[in-house]
Amino acid sequence: MTKEPWGGTPEGAVERYTLSNERGTTVRVLSYGGIVQSIEVPDRDGHLANVALGFDNLADYQEKSPYFGAITGRYANRIARGRFTLDGVGYEVPVNDGTNSLHGGAVGLDKHIWDAEALAADAEPALALQYVSPAGDQGYPGTLRMTVTYTLTAGDALRIDYLAGTDATTVVNLTNHTYFNLAGEGSGAVYDHVLQLHADRYTPVDGALIPTGELAPVAGTPMDFTAPVPIGARIRDNFGQLLRGTGYDHNWVLRGDSGGLAVAARVEEPASGRVLTVHTDQPGIQFYTGNFLTGALVGTGGRAYRQGDAFALETQHFPDSPNQPEFPSTVLRPGEVYRTTTVYEFGTL
């Protein structure tokens, strides 16, 4: 692992860490926002390409980024109207997505510098990032102490371990928001990528993209990825949920219920032969097809990012869970430990 200076903010200096393994796979991580800036992995012929969207400068991450590669929270995804009640007390958090709070509010975890420490490792470099969110930060109760550890394995997997504790009852839902294009960032639409999701149900949304509370079956709808299907095969269908999301921007209810790591998703890119398999212990996964990319953002390779040029697979608890008691709970109390793991494993056909 190596590190280098990468600018700074009023909070202090920002560093970029480069994790590499013997196969040539490289992951670059910023201490700002815990951002995964790039992921270089080989195709079926051994040629490396960066498969993660991002910027080549800190200013764009500060001013323009739609959460490229970032740790998101305190509460990843949406909270309706920026309000929730916890133990009879009402809380308000910033509204930054129409009428909703998104990814922790206007100044979420992606907007801060995390303390970074390279962990001793031989073949598998690991980077531990720590941040303390004070009580009242963005309106959330409790001081939340977090550690997020990125490990690049010898087998070309990026493992992300999340750990958190609080001194007062709060809600927490952390994820990573990397945008992927397995053909290489900036190479065009991902509609030919073939996706399989290990989920028989999903959470439909209303016009504000807030779950209705229903756990709807995917069978017979364009939301059915129980068997491998190209991402673009049905994305233009006249289906109400796709119209509301301007494409896919929904949470799927994962089958894994053992509490351990299980396969949540698999994506294949036919031309390069690259494969991404997502393992997680979380109950849900948000599949998003870069619907709000407009061409205004220019990435690390110098190309503009347009609608459909990437997909995200954000492992998580369900959106708006603090307001939907029938969903798996996101409440964390003093003495409890928030602990979850997600593995993004790369390979080839």
Side-chain angles (χ1 to χ4, degrees):
M1 186 188 307
T2 62
K3 72 174 181 178
E4 60 188 312
W6 221 69
T9 77
E11 286 187 346
V14 175
E15 295 175 324
R16 182 171 72 168
Y17 292 79
T18 300
L19 290 66
S20 303
N21 67 16
E22 293 183 353
R23 295 164 56 89
T25 294
T26 300
V27 177
R28 292 184 175 88
V29 179
L30 308 180
S31 58
Y32 178 79
I35 290 169
V36 176
Q37 186 212 11
S38 67
I39 304 172
E40 294 183 6
V41 293
D43 65 9
R44 62 163 62 92
D45 298 317
H47 300 136
L48 293 170
N50 173 22
V51 299
L53 274 61
F55 299 118
D56 63 2
N57 65 91
L58 181 60
D60 281 353
Y61 281 111
Q62 293 176 283
E63 299 165 8
K64 304 177 181 180
S65 182
Y67 304 98
F68 283 155
I71 299 169
T72 55
R74 291 185 182 191
Y75 197 95
N77 217 306
R78 296 175 174 89
I79 295 179
R81 301 174 301 281
R83 299 175 183 172
F84 61 92
T85 299
L86 190 58
D87 292 344
V89 179
Y91 295 92
E92 293 190 10
V93 294
V95 171
N96 61 329
D97 177 57
T99 58
N100 307 319
S101 181
L102 177 66
H103 295 325
V107 188
L109 301 179
D110 60 296
K111 300 294 194 299
H112 293 286
I113 295 176
W114 293 58
D115 292 330
E117 179 185 4
L119 303 181
D122 295 326
E124 299 188 339
L127 180 69
L129 298 164
Q130 295 185 326
Y131 182 73
V132 178
S133 175
D137 186 10
Q138 296 294 286
Y140 287 92
T143 297
L144 190 69
R145 299 179 180 274
M146 294 161 285
T147 301
V148 178
T149 303
Y150 293 112
T151 303
L152 176 59
T153 74
D156 287 351
L158 176 60
R159 178 184 174 109
I160 309 177
D161 293 292
Y162 303 85
L163 184 69
T166 182
D167 63 359
T169 301
T170 190
V171 294
V172 60
N173 186 28
L174 306 179
T175 195
N176 177 272
H177 206 305
T178 295
Y179 289 61
F180 295 100
N181 185 324
L182 299 182
E185 65 83 30
S187 64
V190 297
Y191 296 148
D192 289 339
H193 288 51
V194 178
L195 170 67
Q196 183 175 19
L197 292 173
H198 291 245
D200 302 305
R201 297 175 296 167
Y202 75 105
T203 52
V205 295
D206 62 19
L209 300 182
I210 293 296
T212 63
E214 181 184 7
L215 304 184
V218 300
T221 77
M223 316 303 277
D224 189 351
F225 289 92
T226 54
V229 179
I231 288 173
R234 299 165 302 191
I235 200 168
R236 306 296 180 194
D237 283 11
N238 185 22
F239 181 69
Q241 289 295 308
L242 291 177
L243 297 177
R244 287 178 178 175
T246 323
Y248 294 104
D249 190 6
H250 297 76
N251 169 70
W252 270 256
V253 180
L254 295 173
R255 294 174 188 155
D257 57 2
S258 64
L261 284 176
V263 174
R266 177 182 168 92
V267 187
E268 300 177 355
E269 201 286 299
S272 67
R274 292 189 183 93
V275 176
L276 171 62
T277 305
V278 182
H279 311 252
T280 191
D281 52 16
Q282 290 288 276
I285 190 167
Q286 186 87 4
F287 170 49
Y288 171 58
T289 46
N291 310 325
F292 301 111
L293 298 175
T294 65
L297 303 179
V298 177
T300 51
R303 295 183 179 180
Y305 295 146
R306 294 178 171 82
Q307 185 180 55
D309 279 0
F311 65 90
L313 289 167
E314 305 154 61
T315 57
Q316 59 174 16
H317 273 60
F318 303 170
D320 199 38
S321 290
N323 294 312
Q324 310 220 25
E326 68 276 16
F327 285 179
S329 176
T330 56
V331 174
L332 183 69
R333 300 184 184 278
E336 297 177 344
V337 177
Y338 175 94
R339 190 190 308 271
T340 180
T341 297
T342 292
V343 178
Y344 293 99
E345 178 187 8
F346 297 92
T348 55
L349 296 171

